[in-house]
């Protein structure tokens, strides 16, 4: 018995022993059984089982899950399945108990024909992770086929002149079984004239013939009726029989004879039609017509022989007339008769064995199974992508197949078992570089010349969320005019993601933070899909010059990835604020100021000064003053400084001037269009002795002007000292924080609030009470000092830049005024107005 059969039998007997003795002998028997099973597994390269053919449905074959070391609970989750190249429905596995059983009728003769060994090769495939096991199930033969003769009746013509011991060949029976079940013994019914002759030829086939033991007498018995019985070696025995009808002929008493009873011929399967296999030569001792021989195929030869070969009746030359195929039939047994022309004719017999030699005429075949596609780009090295099996119908080296993979890709072929390969991952994948691979598997046999076949495998790389959305630049600068309509579109951010599908689906959102006392989301919003940024409310340059915030782009992957971009939104000023008059002496728009002027003053005497501010910035806040013509066209003795607002006399006053002068001052900015306000100044002309008293009454009974001026100077000095101390302290704290903390990503530019003071050389005005500046850090709001010179050309773009501020630092110290309240600026303004700024 072969080693595999012995191992299978041992395993089956051990399993039966375990179940029989489990209750009797306990753990000792179980331990012994497991040791024997381990010894069996160590001696075999794969699982082997055996099952008799014609077994009923449900017949136990083996505990395949247990023998493979798999847990029953993981069979279903891991997609346990059994595949077979041929007749996959013959065997099945119960996923509940892991038992391999017979699923449908197994006919060994149908499955393997006359092959001595017959087995079913199973591929056991387990996914998650992918594993492949190979199982051989041997199909054992049972004696289910009786011997069969090719015909139910054989007729023999025997001349009465034939001598005893003459042999007449008979066609034997065939048995579809194998082994001892196909070993046939023959028995002939009793006869005094005939006996059965059985010989074994070179290929272990039995040649049977009818042996003449006693001379025939046609006149006594002209026909003999015999029965030939064939019995196989199975248990129980099966038999088959054929009737032999022997007709005794008279006359010609010498039959043709061949030099050999059997001839052997070898021919390649690719031999051309008409190729001569052999030339037979039979001889006959008779003369004349009784010695003339013709050759023919025996009447019992199969139709396949007649289709493939032809014999010349005159020469005995056997030639090919059809295509030979080693893979279909590799051996032909041709029975040839040599018949003389006597009356009656006599026949001689021989057998020609034609052995067909293999030629490399079959291209290898490639089969792809269990494709694990697509492959994630983060798959680990060694991940099994596909299972590949190759086969070749040729024999020997012509059927030896090797596989290769092209082109040079991050995959490789690994041989697993005989003609089975696994396509595995050999290096890292990157979908963004290569999203799919077209692989070509080439199978080449060992013939000369070799034949090859290819199979294409498309491996798609599945995306993994490994790329965050990316903006074209880290920061964008946006300019928006103030007083925009609510909900207007101010900018569009766009980020691209190199991933695919939902991993590349980008959504946008604001990075929420506080802008002063309010949330950022109350100022702007961003559309989640388009990335459009909208201003939710009108922006006010006087309230907010710079709005700096971040927009986040995040993809829809798991886990999601994101990145941020910074937007700096500069709010551009528009001329939307009317100049406002300052101080109680000037009053508001439409108010009046009373001033007492002695008639004795000369030209150039400063009567008063009109002070105004504009909340805008730049040229929109640059103010000019004009004196409106008096009613009636009379020429006024007063004038107003174009940029200073100082009202002074143009000439010496005389008695002809009206005692009450009503001056209308127009204050106008330089915006487009310009906005203006008016101030009314009532100038009373009095005698020189009345001027101080009137002036004192105009000041509402206030204390001595010199004392008031001293008070103002004291307040100014205190304010300057306080601000200077605060500035020094702030610089020290700022330096300490910069040295101790890492630099932040967002930088804030200086705020731009404007203080404009008037002088003979230029105009300076405080533009607003409080200018709030927004940046990524928190800090106190600041005011700023802006200077304009009458000699400069109007330019609304550069009017607010720091260069113009630096050109007038002789009149106002920007560092000192940085944190001044509105009141302090007014005090400073009053102080500067009392004397020339050049001093």
């Amino acid at each position: 018995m072969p080693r595999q059969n012995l191992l299978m039998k041992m395993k089956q007997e051990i399993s039966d022993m375990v179940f029989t003795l489990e209750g009797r002998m306990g753990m000792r028997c179980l331990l012994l059984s497991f040791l024997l099973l381990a010894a069996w597994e160590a001696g075999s390269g794969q699982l082997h089982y055996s099952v008799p053919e014609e077994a009923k449905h449900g017949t136990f074959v083996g505990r395949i899950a247990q023998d493979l070391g798999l847990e029953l609970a993981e069979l279903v989750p891991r997609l346990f399945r059994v595949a077979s190249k041929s007749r996959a429905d013959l065997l099945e596995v119960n996923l509940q108990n892991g038992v391999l059983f017979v699923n449908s009728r197994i006919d060994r003769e149908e499955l393997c024909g006359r092959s001595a060994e017959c087995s079913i090769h199973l591929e056991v495939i387990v996914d998650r992770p992918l594993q492949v096991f190979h199982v051989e199930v041997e199909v054992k033969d049972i004696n289910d086929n009786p011997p069969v003769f090719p015909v139910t009746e054989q007729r023999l013509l025997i001349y009465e002149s034939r001598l005893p011991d003459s042999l007449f060949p008979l066609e034997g029976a065939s048995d579809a079984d194998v082994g001892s079940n196909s070993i046939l013994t023959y028995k002939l019914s009793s006869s005094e004239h005939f006996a059965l002759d059985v010989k074994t030829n070179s290929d272990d086939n039995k040649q049977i013939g009818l042996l003449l033991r006693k001379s025939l007498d046609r006149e006594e018995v002209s026909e003999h009726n015999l029965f030939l019985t064939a019995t196989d070696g199975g248990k129980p025995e099966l038999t088959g029989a054929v009737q032999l009808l022997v007709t005794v002929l008279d006359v010609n008493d010498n039959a043709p004879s061949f030099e050999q009873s059997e001839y052997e011929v070898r021919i390649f399967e690719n031999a051309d039609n008409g190729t001569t296999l052999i030339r037979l030569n039979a001889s006959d001792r008779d003369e004349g017509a009784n010695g003339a021989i013709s050759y023919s195929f025996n009447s019992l030869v199969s139709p396949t022989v007649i289709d493939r070969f032809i014999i010349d009746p005159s020469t005995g030359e056997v030639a090919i007339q059809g295509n030979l195929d080693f893979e279909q039939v590799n051996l032909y047994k041709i029975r040839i008769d040599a018949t003389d022309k006597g009356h009656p004719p006599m026949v001689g017999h021989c057998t020609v064995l034609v052995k067909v030699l293999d030629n490399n005429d079959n291209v290898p075949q490639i089969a792809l199974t269990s494709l694990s596609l697509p492959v994630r780009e983060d798959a680990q090295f060694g991940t099994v992508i596909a299972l590949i099996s190759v086969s070749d119908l040729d024999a020997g080296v012509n059927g030896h197949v090797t596989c290769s993979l092209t082109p040079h890709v991050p995959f490789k072929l690994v041989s697993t078992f005989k003609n089975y390969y696994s396509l595995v991952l050999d290096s890292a994948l990157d979908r963004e570089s290569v999203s799919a691979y077209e692989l070509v598997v080439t199978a080449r046999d060992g013939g000369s010349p070799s034949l090859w076949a290819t199979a294409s495998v498309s491996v798609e790389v599945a995306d993994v969320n490994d790329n965050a959305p990316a903006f074209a630049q880290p920061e964008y600068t946006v300019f928006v005019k103030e007083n925009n309509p609510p909900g207007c579109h101010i900018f569009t951010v766009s980020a691209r993601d190199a991933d695919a599908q939902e991993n590349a689906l980008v959504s946008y959102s604001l990075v929420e933070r506080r802008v002063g006392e309010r949330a950022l989301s109350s100022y702007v919003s961003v559309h989640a899909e388009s990335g459009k940024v909208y201003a939710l409310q009108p922006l006010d340059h006087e309230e907010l010059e710079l709005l700096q915030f971040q927009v986040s782009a995040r993809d829809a992957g798991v886990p999601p990835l994101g990145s941020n971009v910074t937007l700096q939104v500069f709010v551009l000023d528009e001329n939307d604020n009317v100049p406002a008059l300052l101080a109680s002496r000037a009053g508001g728009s439409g108010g009046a100021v009373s001033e007492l002027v002695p008639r004795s003053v000369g030209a150039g005497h400063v009567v008063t000064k009109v002070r105004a501010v504009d909340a805008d910035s730049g040229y929109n806040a640059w103010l000019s003053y004009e004196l409106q013509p008096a009613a009636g066209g009379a020429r006024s003795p007063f004038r107003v400084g174009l940029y200073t607002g100082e009202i002074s006399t143009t000439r010496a006053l005389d008695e002809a001037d009206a005692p009450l002068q009503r001056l209308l001052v127009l204050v106008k900015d330089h915006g487009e269009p310009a906005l203006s306000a008016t101030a009314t100044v009532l100038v009373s002309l009095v005698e020189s002795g009345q001027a101080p008293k009137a002036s004192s009454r105009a000041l509402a009974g206030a204390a001595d002007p010199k004392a008031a001026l001293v008070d103002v100077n004291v307040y100014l000095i205190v304010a300057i000292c306080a601000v200077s101390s605060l500035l020094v302290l702030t610089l020290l704290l700022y330096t300490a924080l910069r040295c101790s903390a890492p630099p932040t990503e967002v930088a804030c530019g200086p705020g731009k609030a404007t203080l404009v003071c008037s002088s003979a050389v230029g105009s300076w005005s405080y533009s607003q009470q409080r200018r709030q500046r927004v940046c990524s850090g928190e800090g106190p709001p600041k005011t700023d000092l802006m200077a304009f010179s009458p000699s400069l050309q109007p330019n609304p773009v550069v009017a607010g830049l720091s260069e113009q501020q630096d050109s007038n630092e002789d009149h106002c110290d920007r560092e000192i005024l940085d944190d001044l309240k509105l009141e302090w600026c007014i005090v400073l303004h009053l102080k500067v107005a009392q004397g020339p700024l050049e001093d």
Side-chain angles (χ1 to χ4, degrees), residues 51-259:
V51 62
E53 67 174 331
E54 304 295 342
K56 294 181 179 180
H57 173 74
T59 300
F60 174 87
V61 178
R63 301 184 182 277
I64 188 170
Q66 177 181 344
D67 296 338
L68 292 176
L70 300 176
E71 297 293 337
L72 297 181
E74 65 181 4
L75 297 184
V76 174
R78 293 188 62 185
L79 301 181
F80 181 95
R81 61 188 184 277
V82 176
S84 175
K85 284 187 177 180
S86 60
R87 300 299 303 275
D89 59 337
L90 297 178
L91 300 171
E92 188 59 59
V93 176
N94 187 333
L95 298 181
Q96 302 300 322
N97 54 22
V99 171
L100 180 68
F101 64 92
V102 176
N103 186 46
S104 60
R105 175 178 175 270
I106 302 176
D107 188 350
R108 186 188 186 283
E109 288 71 31
E110 178 184 352
L111 189 64
C112 302
R114 296 285 301 169
S115 176
E117 296 182 0
C118 183
S119 61
I120 302 173
H121 178 76
L122 301 179
E123 291 180 6
V124 179
I125 303 173
V126 182
D127 291 333
R128 304 174 185 171
L130 181 62
Q131 290 181 283
V132 180
F133 305 94
H134 298 276
V135 179
E136 294 284 342
V137 179
E138 180 186 6
V139 180
K140 292 186 175 181
D141 182 54
I142 65 172
N143 193 25
D144 59 339
N145 292 281
V148 177
F149 288 89
V151 294
T152 59
E153 183 180 277
Q154 293 189 29
R155 292 183 175 271
L156 289 85
L157 301 178
I158 301 178
Y159 296 107
E160 64 177 346
S161 58
R162 296 297 295 264
L163 299 175
D165 296 329
S166 296
L167 185 63
F168 305 94
L170 298 175
E171 188 68 18
S174 62
D175 196 320
D177 297 320
V178 297
S180 61
N181 295 330
S182 64
I183 298 176
L184 303 180
T185 57
Y186 296 91
K187 183 178 180 181
L188 185 67
S189 59
S190 60
S191 172
E192 62 176 341
H193 292 91
F194 298 96
L196 189 64
D197 180 80
V198 180
K199 294 180 181 179
T200 302
N201 58 15
S202 59
D203 57 352
D204 292 332
N205 289 328
K206 291 184 178 180
Q207 295 273 358
I208 60 174
L210 191 62
L211 182 64
L212 181 62
R213 296 193 302 178
K214 183 180 178 181
S215 298
L216 299 176
D217 187 359
R218 182 181 177 280
E219 286 71 24
E220 182 178 338
V221 180
S222 61
E223 191 174 75
H224 298 266
N225 194 357
L226 305 174
F227 284 92
L228 177 62
T229 303
T231 304
D232 61 24
K235 293 182 180 181
E237 298 176 344
L238 298 178
T239 61
V242 63
Q243 185 179 9
L244 303 179
L245 296 177
V246 180
T247 300
V248 181
L249 302 178
D250 201 4
V251 187
N252 193 15
D253 58 352
N254 287 290
S257 62
F258 292 92
E259 294 180 358

Side-chain angles (χ1 to χ4, degrees), residues 7 23 36 38 46 97 113 116 129 148 155-156 165 212 253 315 318 404 425 448 477 586 647 680 747 790:
L7 290 173
L36 291 175
Q46 59 179 348
N97 54 22
V148 177
R155 292 183 175 271
L156 289 85
D165 296 329
L212 181 62
D253 58 352
T315 62
V318 180
S404 61
L425 182 62
S448 180
T477 300
I647 298 175
T680 302

Side-chain angles (χ1 to χ4, degrees), residues 125 147 169 183 213 338 391 532 547 587 608 662 798 819 833:
I125 303 173
I183 298 176
R213 296 193 302 178
S391 60
K532 291 185 176 181
L547 180 60
T608 186
R662 184 181 182 88
V798 301
D819 293 292

Side-chain angles (χ1 to χ4, degrees), residues 821-833:
K821 304 285 186 171
L822 175 60
E823 302 83 44
W824 301 347
C825 290
I826 294 174
V827 171
L828 179 59
H829 173 75
L830 293 175
K831 176 62 178 176
V832 173

